């Protein structure tokens, strides 16, 4: 993590890396693809699945109540036997406004590219699937 200021405004930059393992993987039912939403028709099979991920995140506080932020992250399916594209790339750019100490409203643009073998769940494992869109969220903490 690095913190400093740019033009007199507080700036924070984080980097992260991690790895994960799981002993089970979802197997779709007959006639289903991995990206199907009818997961109750499938089963879970015992498989040693491995993933790795990394990313960077930056934020600048424009004022006490407004911030701008960006994040880039990559996740890889490192499971043995996975061939071809196995990566998910995601970029998020957004801004937030604190109404008070416990209420935040933020808006983000998100763009994701998912390769067929990434095991991210949005693909049917035969082609890449990309998506993008806007998210607006309100958070209230107690």
């Amino acid at each position: 993590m690095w913190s400093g200021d740019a033009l007199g405004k507080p700036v924070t930059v984080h980097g992260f890396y991690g790895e994960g393992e799981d002993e089970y993987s979802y197997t779709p039912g007959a006639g289903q693809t991995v990206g199907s939403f009818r997961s109750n028709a499938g089963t879970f099979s015992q498989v040693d699945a491995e993933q790795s991920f990394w990313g960077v995140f930056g934020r600048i506080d424009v004022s006490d109540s407004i911030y701008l932020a960006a994040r880039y992250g990559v996740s890889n399916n490192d499971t043995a036997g996975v061939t071809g594209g196995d990566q998910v790339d995601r970029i998020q750019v957004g801004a937030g406004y604190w109404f008070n100490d416990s209420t935040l409203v933020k808006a983000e643009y998100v763009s994701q590219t998912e390769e067929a073998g990434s095991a991210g769940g949005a693909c049917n494992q035969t082609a890449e699937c990309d998506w993008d869109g806007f998210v607006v969220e309100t958070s209230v903490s107690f």
Side-chain angles (χ1 to χ4, degrees), residues 103-115:
T103 307
L104 169 69
V105 173
K106 68 178 183 176
E108 289 184 323
Y109 169 75
V110 181
S111 177
Q112 180 168 306
T113 301
E114 186 172 332
E115 295 178 331

PDB file of all heavy atoms in Angstrom, residues 103-115:
ATOM      1  N   THR A 103     -23.502   7.097   5.360  1.00  0.00           N
ATOM      2  CA  THR A 103     -24.251   6.892   4.113  1.00  0.00           C
ATOM      3  C   THR A 103     -23.388   7.267   2.903  1.00  0.00           C
ATOM      4  O   THR A 103     -22.957   8.407   2.772  1.00  0.00           O
ATOM      5  CB  THR A 103     -25.543   7.730   4.094  1.00  0.00           C
ATOM      6  OG1 THR A 103     -26.280   7.463   5.286  1.00  0.00           O
ATOM      7  CG2 THR A 103     -26.394   7.384   2.890  1.00  0.00           C
ATOM      8  N   LEU A 104     -23.150   6.288   2.045  1.00  0.00           N
ATOM      9  CA  LEU A 104     -22.335   6.460   0.851  1.00  0.00           C
ATOM     10  C   LEU A 104     -23.149   6.115  -0.392  1.00  0.00           C
ATOM     11  O   LEU A 104     -23.860   5.105  -0.417  1.00  0.00           O
ATOM     12  CB  LEU A 104     -21.113   5.531   0.902  1.00  0.00           C
ATOM     13  CG  LEU A 104     -20.291   5.385  -0.389  1.00  0.00           C
ATOM     14  CD1 LEU A 104     -19.553   6.682  -0.709  1.00  0.00           C
ATOM     15  CD2 LEU A 104     -19.317   4.239  -0.262  1.00  0.00           C
ATOM     16  N   VAL A 105     -23.066   6.934  -1.426  1.00  0.00           N
ATOM     17  CA  VAL A 105     -23.628   6.629  -2.743  1.00  0.00           C
ATOM     18  C   VAL A 105     -22.456   6.588  -3.699  1.00  0.00           C
ATOM     19  O   VAL A 105     -21.616   7.494  -3.702  1.00  0.00           O
ATOM     20  CB  VAL A 105     -24.644   7.692  -3.210  1.00  0.00           C
ATOM     21  CG1 VAL A 105     -25.074   7.437  -4.639  1.00  0.00           C
ATOM     22  CG2 VAL A 105     -25.842   7.718  -2.296  1.00  0.00           C
ATOM     23  N   LYS A 106     -22.359   5.504  -4.491  1.00  0.00           N
ATOM     24  CA  LYS A 106     -21.276   5.432  -5.456  1.00  0.00           C
ATOM     25  C   LYS A 106     -21.791   4.929  -6.795  1.00  0.00           C
ATOM     26  O   LYS A 106     -22.791   4.208  -6.870  1.00  0.00           O
ATOM     27  CB  LYS A 106     -20.127   4.560  -4.954  1.00  0.00           C
ATOM     28  CG  LYS A 106     -20.430   3.089  -4.839  1.00  0.00           C
ATOM     29  CD  LYS A 106     -19.188   2.353  -4.382  1.00  0.00           C
ATOM     30  CE  LYS A 106     -19.437   0.858  -4.318  1.00  0.00           C
ATOM     31  NZ  LYS A 106     -18.221   0.129  -3.966  1.00  0.00           N
ATOM     32  N   ALA A 107     -21.109   5.330  -7.854  1.00  0.00           N
ATOM     33  CA  ALA A 107     -21.429   4.901  -9.213  1.00  0.00           C
ATOM     34  C   ALA A 107     -20.146   4.388  -9.839  1.00  0.00           C
ATOM     35  O   ALA A 107     -19.075   4.977  -9.650  1.00  0.00           O
ATOM     36  CB  ALA A 107     -21.994   6.064 -10.024  1.00  0.00           C
ATOM     37  N   GLU A 108     -20.247   3.277 -10.571  1.00  0.00           N
ATOM     38  CA  GLU A 108     -19.083   2.669 -11.199  1.00  0.00           C
ATOM     39  C   GLU A 108     -19.404   2.227 -12.617  1.00  0.00           C
ATOM     40  O   GLU A 108     -20.522   1.806 -12.895  1.00  0.00           O
ATOM     41  CB  GLU A 108     -18.642   1.400 -10.458  1.00  0.00           C
ATOM     42  CG  GLU A 108     -18.027   1.588  -9.128  1.00  0.00           C
ATOM     43  CD  GLU A 108     -17.556   0.255  -8.548  1.00  0.00           C
ATOM     44  OE1 GLU A 108     -18.237  -0.770  -8.736  1.00  0.00           O
ATOM     45  OE2 GLU A 108     -16.505   0.267  -7.924  1.00  0.00           O
ATOM     46  N   TYR A 109     -18.389   2.292 -13.468  1.00  0.00           N
ATOM     47  CA  TYR A 109     -18.434   1.629 -14.762  1.00  0.00           C
ATOM     48  C   TYR A 109     -17.577   0.385 -14.617  1.00  0.00           C
ATOM     49  O   TYR A 109     -16.450   0.452 -14.106  1.00  0.00           O
ATOM     50  CB  TYR A 109     -17.872   2.528 -15.871  1.00  0.00           C
ATOM     51  CG  TYR A 109     -17.655   1.777 -17.150  1.00  0.00           C
ATOM     52  CD1 TYR A 109     -18.735   1.422 -17.961  1.00  0.00           C
ATOM     53  CD2 TYR A 109     -16.387   1.396 -17.544  1.00  0.00           C
ATOM     54  CE1 TYR A 109     -18.543   0.711 -19.129  1.00  0.00           C
ATOM     55  CE2 TYR A 109     -16.191   0.689 -18.709  1.00  0.00           C
ATOM     56  CZ  TYR A 109     -17.262   0.354 -19.496  1.00  0.00           C
ATOM     57  OH  TYR A 109     -17.058  -0.361 -20.651  1.00  0.00           O
ATOM     58  N   VAL A 110     -18.094  -0.770 -15.042  1.00  0.00           N
ATOM     59  CA  VAL A 110     -17.390  -2.043 -14.922  1.00  0.00           C
ATOM     60  C   VAL A 110     -17.291  -2.683 -16.301  1.00  0.00           C
ATOM     61  O   VAL A 110     -18.274  -2.731 -17.043  1.00  0.00           O
ATOM     62  CB  VAL A 110     -18.134  -3.008 -13.966  1.00  0.00           C
ATOM     63  CG1 VAL A 110     -17.380  -4.318 -13.826  1.00  0.00           C
ATOM     64  CG2 VAL A 110     -18.372  -2.371 -12.622  1.00  0.00           C
ATOM     65  N   SER A 111     -16.107  -3.183 -16.635  1.00  0.00           N
ATOM     66  CA  SER A 111     -15.900  -3.904 -17.888  1.00  0.00           C
ATOM     67  C   SER A 111     -15.146  -5.184 -17.570  1.00  0.00           C
ATOM     68  O   SER A 111     -14.103  -5.139 -16.901  1.00  0.00           O
ATOM     69  CB  SER A 111     -15.097  -3.051 -18.869  1.00  0.00           C
ATOM     70  OG  SER A 111     -14.838  -3.774 -20.054  1.00  0.00           O
ATOM     71  N   GLN A 112     -15.665  -6.322 -18.033  1.00  0.00           N
ATOM     72  CA  GLN A 112     -15.037  -7.608 -17.744  1.00  0.00           C
ATOM     73  C   GLN A 112     -14.899  -8.427 -19.012  1.00  0.00           C
ATOM     74  O   GLN A 112     -15.816  -8.496 -19.823  1.00  0.00           O
ATOM     75  CB  GLN A 112     -15.868  -8.381 -16.711  1.00  0.00           C
ATOM     76  CG  GLN A 112     -15.278  -9.734 -16.362  1.00  0.00           C
ATOM     77  CD  GLN A 112     -15.936 -10.351 -15.161  1.00  0.00           C
ATOM     78  OE1 GLN A 112     -16.014  -9.729 -14.111  1.00  0.00           O
ATOM     79  NE2 GLN A 112     -16.421 -11.573 -15.301  1.00  0.00           N
ATOM     80  N   THR A 113     -13.738  -9.055 -19.164  1.00  0.00           N
ATOM     81  CA  THR A 113     -13.474  -9.991 -20.252  1.00  0.00           C
ATOM     82  C   THR A 113     -13.185 -11.340 -19.620  1.00  0.00           C
ATOM     83  O   THR A 113     -12.310 -11.447 -18.767  1.00  0.00           O
ATOM     84  CB  THR A 113     -12.254  -9.543 -21.086  1.00  0.00           C
ATOM     85  OG1 THR A 113     -12.516  -8.261 -21.618  1.00  0.00           O
ATOM     86  CG2 THR A 113     -11.972 -10.519 -22.207  1.00  0.00           C
ATOM     87  N   GLU A 114     -13.940 -12.343 -20.018  1.00  0.00           N
ATOM     88  CA  GLU A 114     -13.786 -13.676 -19.435  1.00  0.00           C
ATOM     89  C   GLU A 114     -13.506 -14.690 -20.538  1.00  0.00           C
ATOM     90  O   GLU A 114     -14.291 -14.830 -21.469  1.00  0.00           O
ATOM     91  CB  GLU A 114     -15.057 -14.056 -18.672  1.00  0.00           C
ATOM     92  CG  GLU A 114     -14.929 -15.345 -17.927  1.00  0.00           C
ATOM     93  CD  GLU A 114     -16.123 -15.607 -17.033  1.00  0.00           C
ATOM     94  OE1 GLU A 114     -16.772 -14.639 -16.575  1.00  0.00           O
ATOM     95  OE2 GLU A 114     -16.413 -16.787 -16.804  1.00  0.00           O
ATOM     96  N   GLU A 115     -12.367 -15.374 -20.445  1.00  0.00           N
ATOM     97  CA  GLU A 115     -12.023 -16.396 -21.420  1.00  0.00           C
ATOM     98  C   GLU A 115     -12.779 -17.680 -21.105  1.00  0.00           C
ATOM     99  O   GLU A 115     -13.185 -17.931 -19.968  1.00  0.00           O
ATOM    100  CB  GLU A 115     -10.521 -16.633 -21.427  1.00  0.00           C
ATOM    101  CG  GLU A 115      -9.747 -15.401 -21.904  1.00  0.00           C
ATOM    102  CD  GLU A 115      -8.241 -15.595 -21.863  1.00  0.00           C
ATOM    103  OE1 GLU A 115      -7.750 -16.359 -21.026  1.00  0.00           O
ATOM    104  OE2 GLU A 115      -7.563 -14.943 -22.683  1.00  0.00           O
TER     105      GLU A 115
END
